[in-house]
Structure formats: structure tokens, C-alpha cells
Amino acid sequence: MNHLIDIESISKEDILNILHLAKEFKENKKKSDVENKTVALMFCENSTRTRCSFEIAAQKLCMNIINFDTEHSSLSKGESLKDTIENLYFLGVKAFVIRHSFSGIINNAIKQIKYPVKFINAGDGTHAHPTQALLDFYTMIEKIKTVENKKVVIIGDVMHSRVAKSNIALLSKFNADIHICSPSYMEFETAKAFNITTHQNLEKALEGANVVMALRVQNERHEKEGYPDSSEYKRLYEIDSEKLKKYAQNDVILMHPGPVNRNIELSSELIDSTLGKTILEQAQNGVYIRMAILNTLLKEGGRNAS
Ligand code: CP
């Protein structure tokens, strides 16, 4: 196996190596080892940050990029993902960055495909979003050096959030003090498997927080009738400058993977304040983390991430 599918399958050493390489790319101290290799970006679900930052990362690495148009491809005529990937491999594509609404789709593809392609999970259903967790971790380390024993509070739709699950897996490896806060209809069912403190009350969760990570309310993934009720969610869980100032640490870091539902998860004035700038820095760091991942997986004779 030499792919990046989830955080659980990679070691602390792999994570630190990716962070180190990302920092070198950010500081212009490292050149590409993967020039002229071809990567396909297969986004079967919408994306702005992940797709564009992978494309920019591949451009900076002087790679060839196939922006695979799923809607106008033969997938829409019923061709299987396996046949599509195998054909593209024979056209010269070495790596596939895949986003899909079906959890576990890449694990299925790995089992079916016998050619040495590399897979990078760009978000599959409610399962995992490992590159987002890596860029979030990079952003935290840039600002607070370590997450060990730091109170990181993840707020909102944890049930449907692949970002939260990958962040929890990563932060657990580095001994963060993880808290999650959500209404019962958004809670993380397997929280007990991790050493996590759970809350339903936002103010209590925010107390003394070093990092506050709000999540997008994933309206498209809720099946339960009547949920989520946006006005009820906003009343109980919207974070604004006043709440952060009152309850969190003075130097709290505010994060959100994006896209943000303004005035639902975060108030508009908070997003546009100095604290809200970290959300844009997360997106920017995504370029360097994705450069590091592509370079690590595709480098000739290089050590793989998993
Ligand atoms: N954070 C994130 O995955 O954003 P996109 O859906 O825009 O890629």
C-alpha cells in the first residue's frame, strides 16, 4: 500500500515528514522530485479549496494535470470507476486524487485495481478527509508549536463530518485534549472509542479553548426530518467574537475547513475579523501540504506515506 486514504493508516513519523516537507515548499527551499508525472483530479462531488489547491500544488511541482470532468466522462455512460482508472493509468496517469460522496470508495478501488497507481483521498462521504486534517494540523503547529495537552474544541456536525473524523484521528496521535460539541442529532457515535470530552453546551465547550474548529452544517447529508433547523442551530451553536472573547483563551485560534455557512456556524463579523484570517491561512497551507503529499507518494525510490 502506498496511498493516502486516511489518517489511521499513516504513522506519526509520516505525518511529521509531510509537515516538514510542506514547510520546505512554503519557504521555497525544496524543488519538485515529480516533474512531468501525471496526476488526475477526479472530483465526483463539488469542491473549491481541495480541488484548486491540488491543482496549484501540482502546477508548482511541474506535473501534468488531468482535470477529469466526471459529468462529461464515460462514467456518465455507466463505465465503472475501476475501468476508468485502469484506462487512465495506461494513458500515463500515475496518481488519482479522488473526492466522492460514497464512504470507502477508494478502499474498494484499491482492492480491484492491479496496476501500481497511487490514490489520494480528497474526501469520501462521511469517512475521511486526510489532507484537510494534515493542513489543519500544519496551521495549528505554525501558530502554537504543539497540540499536546492543548484544548482543541470541534463544534457542530461531527456525525457527517469527514474533516472532524480525520482531525480527531490525527490530534489523538499527538495527545491533544480533544473536545467535541454538538446537538444530539449531529453527535459522533463512536466518540467513546477515543479519549474525547463531549459537550452539548457551547459556552461550556469553549471555556479555556486554545483552538476552536467549527464545522459546516452538512444539510445535504441529513436524513432525519426537520433537522437541521438552521435558526435553532444558530441560536445554540453560532460562534461570535463576544463568545470567543468571554470563554476561550485570549490567543485562541479560530478554524473552519470551509465552506462556511455565514451567520449559522460563525458570525459574519467574526469571519471578517483578524481571528477569521486563519480560515484563509488554512486554505493557503493546503497548497503546501498537497505538494508534500504528491511529492512523497510519487517520488522515484522515495518512502511512501503509508
Ligand atoms: N474544506 C474543503 O474540503 O473544502 P472544499 O469542499 O471546498 O474542497
Side-chain angles (χ1 to χ4, degrees):
M1 296 270 293
N2 44 18
H3 314 288
L4 178 58
I5 308 305
D6 54 37
I7 295 294
E8 288 82 344
S9 321
I10 61 174
S11 67
K12 276 177 80 169
E13 191 191 355
D14 291 325
I15 292 168
L16 293 174
N17 286 339
I18 289 168
L19 258 64
H20 177 74
L21 193 53
K23 187 169 188 290
E24 288 198 319
F25 280 127
K26 190 169 182 178
E27 292 171 357
N28 259 322
K29 290 181 181 161
K30 172 84 184 112
K31 289 205 164 29
S32 172
D33 298 310
V34 294
E35 281 181 15
N36 298 321
K37 296 208 170 173
T38 304
V39 59
L41 308 181
M42 298 183 85
F43 280 68
C44 306
E45 208 185 52
N46 293 345
S47 167
T48 296
R49 280 146 289 271
T50 313
R51 184 184 184 118
C52 294
S53 61
F54 262 115
E55 185 165 351
I56 293 166
Q59 282 168 358
K60 283 178 179 279
L61 291 168
C62 304
M63 297 180 75
N64 303 317
I65 303 154
I66 304 287
N67 255 311
F68 187 80
D69 179 356
T70 51
E71 218 174 291
H72 296 99
S73 75
S74 292
L75 280 173
S76 68
K77 293 190 269 183
E79 187 170 27
S80 70
L81 191 61
K82 168 186 156 60
D83 289 339
T84 304
I85 289 170
E86 289 188 345
N87 276 274
L88 289 174
Y89 174 71
F90 273 78
L91 296 185
V93 179
K94 297 287 179 254
F96 292 82
V97 176
I98 299 181
R99 168 168 292 192
H100 204 283
S101 57
F102 185 75
S103 302
I105 190 139
I106 305 173
N107 298 78
N108 289 353
I110 289 168
K111 283 185 206 141
Q112 291 173 6
I113 290 159
K114 54 181 184 289
Y115 300 102
V117 297
K118 313 275 184 181
F119 286 105
I120 300 169
N121 184 357
D124 62 329
T126 60
H127 169 229
H129 195 347
T131 66
Q132 178 72 41
L134 286 163
L135 76 87
D136 290 341
F137 188 49
Y138 183 96
T139 307
M140 288 181 219
I141 296 296
E142 254 190 345
K143 291 185 180 289
I144 54 175
K145 307 273 188 282
T146 177
V147 296
E148 191 164 348
N149 298 321
K150 296 280 168 64
K151 182 171 178 180
V152 181
V153 189
I154 301 174
I155 296 161
D157 197 353
V158 190
M159 181 187 277
H160 300 99
S161 175
R162 53 198 178 205
V163 173
K165 285 161 198 158
S166 289
N167 264 291
I168 289 166
L170 197 156
L171 292 165
S172 296
K173 284 184 195 274
F174 290 88
N175 302 318
D177 176 20
I178 307 170
H179 292 242
I180 56 181
C181 177
S182 54
S184 59
Y185 56 89
M186 290 180 177
E187 73 190 9
F188 182 33
E189 283 152 1
T190 48
K192 286 189 185 75
F194 293 89
N195 189 17
I196 295 174
T197 309
T198 56
H199 305 262
Q200 286 195 0
N201 179 279
L202 178 64
E203 287 73 19
K204 199 89 193 141
L206 290 177
E207 265 173 22
N210 300 101
V211 179
V212 170
M213 182 186 294
L215 303 171
R216 181 173 74 85
V217 175
Q218 306 207 10
N219 295 302
E220 74 279 16
R221 296 193 215 274
H222 279 263
E223 283 164 13
K224 202 167 167 186
E225 217 171 306
Y227 293 107
D229 173 340
S230 298
S231 56
E232 177 74 352
Y233 184 88
K234 176 181 168 67
R235 188 174 67 77
L236 295 173
Y237 294 101
E238 185 189 32
I239 303 163
D240 57 25
S241 298
E242 199 184 318
K243 282 181 196 154
L244 274 190
K245 197 164 175 220
K246 188 167 174 192
Y247 297 106
Q249 295 285 350
N250 290 337
D251 55 354
V252 66
I253 299 166
L254 174 71
M255 303 179 79
H256 192 301
V260 185
N261 292 308
R262 276 179 181 256
N263 298 316
I264 301 288
E265 297 124 22
L266 300 175
S267 67
S268 234
E269 54 76 26
L270 178 58
I271 298 167
D272 296 329
S273 72
T274 311
L275 271 177
K277 191 169 166 227
T278 306
I279 297 167
L280 299 172
E281 291 167 355
Q282 286 173 259
Q284 184 183 49
N285 286 334
V287 172
Y288 304 108
I289 282 291
R290 286 160 180 141
M291 285 176 82
I293 292 163
L294 288 167
N295 200 82
T296 302
L297 288 178
L298 288 165
K299 183 180 170 181
E300 293 295 335
R303 202 172 160 277
N304 292 314
S306 65

mmCIF file of all heavy atoms in Angstrom, residues 8 82 114 116 136 147 184 205 253 264 302:
data_model
loop_
_atom_site.group_PDB
_atom_site.id
_atom_site.type_symbol
_atom_site.label_atom_id
_atom_site.label_comp_id
_atom_site.label_asym_id
_atom_site.label_seq_id
_atom_site.Cartn_x
_atom_site.Cartn_y
_atom_site.Cartn_z
ATOM 1 N N GLU A 8 -5.617 7.167 10.028
ATOM 2 C CA GLU A 8 -5.369 5.982 10.839
ATOM 3 C C GLU A 8 -4.267 5.110 10.234
ATOM 4 O O GLU A 8 -3.545 4.416 10.958
ATOM 5 C CB GLU A 8 -6.659 5.150 10.975
ATOM 6 C CG GLU A 8 -7.720 5.772 11.886
ATOM 7 C CD GLU A 8 -8.596 6.845 11.196
ATOM 8 O OE1 GLU A 8 -8.219 7.339 10.109
ATOM 9 O OE2 GLU A 8 -9.639 7.202 11.770
ATOM 10 N N LYS A 82 -13.345 1.502 -11.754
ATOM 11 C CA LYS A 82 -12.183 0.616 -11.989
ATOM 12 C C LYS A 82 -11.720 0.712 -13.449
ATOM 13 O O LYS A 82 -10.538 0.922 -13.726
ATOM 14 C CB LYS A 82 -12.577 -0.827 -11.657
ATOM 15 C CG LYS A 82 -11.579 -1.890 -12.131
ATOM 16 C CD LYS A 82 -12.140 -3.293 -11.885
ATOM 17 C CE LYS A 82 -11.533 -4.352 -12.794
ATOM 18 N NZ LYS A 82 -10.111 -4.520 -12.687
ATOM 19 N N LYS A 114 -5.217 -3.702 -10.279
ATOM 20 C CA LYS A 114 -3.973 -4.453 -10.077
ATOM 21 C C LYS A 114 -2.736 -3.700 -10.589
ATOM 22 O O LYS A 114 -1.641 -4.231 -10.524
ATOM 23 C CB LYS A 114 -4.078 -5.844 -10.717
ATOM 24 C CG LYS A 114 -4.471 -5.890 -12.179
ATOM 25 C CD LYS A 114 -4.563 -7.343 -12.660
ATOM 26 C CE LYS A 114 -4.857 -7.443 -14.141
ATOM 27 N NZ LYS A 114 -6.216 -7.058 -14.526
ATOM 28 N N PRO A 116 -0.009 -0.359 -10.552
ATOM 29 C CA PRO A 116 0.575 0.412 -9.433
ATOM 30 C C PRO A 116 0.210 1.894 -9.433
ATOM 31 O O PRO A 116 1.079 2.763 -9.496
ATOM 32 C CB PRO A 116 2.072 0.190 -9.636
ATOM 33 C CG PRO A 116 2.228 0.001 -11.108
ATOM 34 C CD PRO A 116 0.996 -0.701 -11.581
ATOM 35 N N ASP A 136 -4.809 21.289 8.516
ATOM 36 C CA ASP A 136 -5.275 21.883 9.780
ATOM 37 C C ASP A 136 -4.190 21.757 10.849
ATOM 38 O O ASP A 136 -3.909 22.706 11.591
ATOM 39 C CB ASP A 136 -6.560 21.187 10.259
ATOM 40 C CG ASP A 136 -7.766 21.509 9.383
ATOM 41 O OD1 ASP A 136 -7.708 22.514 8.648
ATOM 42 O OD2 ASP A 136 -8.759 20.761 9.436
ATOM 43 N N VAL A 147 0.363 20.602 19.859
ATOM 44 C CA VAL A 147 -1.039 20.474 20.294
ATOM 45 C C VAL A 147 -1.129 19.643 21.572
ATOM 46 O O VAL A 147 -2.221 19.483 22.129
ATOM 47 C CB VAL A 147 -1.929 19.827 19.198
ATOM 48 C CG1 VAL A 147 -2.000 20.707 17.968
ATOM 49 C CG2 VAL A 147 -1.502 18.410 18.863
ATOM 50 N N SER A 184 -27.558 16.584 19.822
ATOM 51 C CA SER A 184 -27.636 15.112 19.798
ATOM 52 C C SER A 184 -27.774 14.566 18.381
ATOM 53 O O SER A 184 -27.223 13.518 18.067
ATOM 54 C CB SER A 184 -28.814 14.648 20.657
ATOM 55 O OG SER A 184 -29.988 15.211 20.133
ATOM 56 N N ALA A 205 -18.142 24.226 26.377
ATOM 57 C CA ALA A 205 -17.108 23.662 25.492
ATOM 58 C C ALA A 205 -16.022 24.694 25.204
ATOM 59 O O ALA A 205 -14.835 24.345 25.127
ATOM 60 C CB ALA A 205 -17.742 23.185 24.189
ATOM 61 N N ILE A 253 -7.143 30.185 18.597
ATOM 62 C CA ILE A 253 -7.082 30.109 17.129
ATOM 63 C C ILE A 253 -8.455 29.658 16.641
ATOM 64 O O ILE A 253 -8.973 28.637 17.103
ATOM 65 C CB ILE A 253 -6.027 29.080 16.684
ATOM 66 C CG1 ILE A 253 -4.652 29.494 17.200
ATOM 67 C CG2 ILE A 253 -6.002 28.934 15.169
ATOM 68 C CD1 ILE A 253 -3.656 28.371 17.086
ATOM 69 N N ILE A 264 -24.451 31.093 10.556
ATOM 70 C CA ILE A 264 -25.023 29.851 11.089
ATOM 71 C C ILE A 264 -23.980 29.220 12.016
ATOM 72 O O ILE A 264 -24.217 29.041 13.210
ATOM 73 C CB ILE A 264 -25.395 28.840 9.969
ATOM 74 C CG1 ILE A 264 -26.410 29.448 8.996
ATOM 75 C CG2 ILE A 264 -25.922 27.524 10.574
ATOM 76 C CD1 ILE A 264 -27.814 29.612 9.515
ATOM 77 N N GLY A 302 11.269 6.905 -3.445
ATOM 78 C CA GLY A 302 11.017 7.610 -2.189
ATOM 79 C C GLY A 302 10.243 6.753 -1.219
ATOM 80 O O GLY A 302 9.687 5.722 -1.581
#
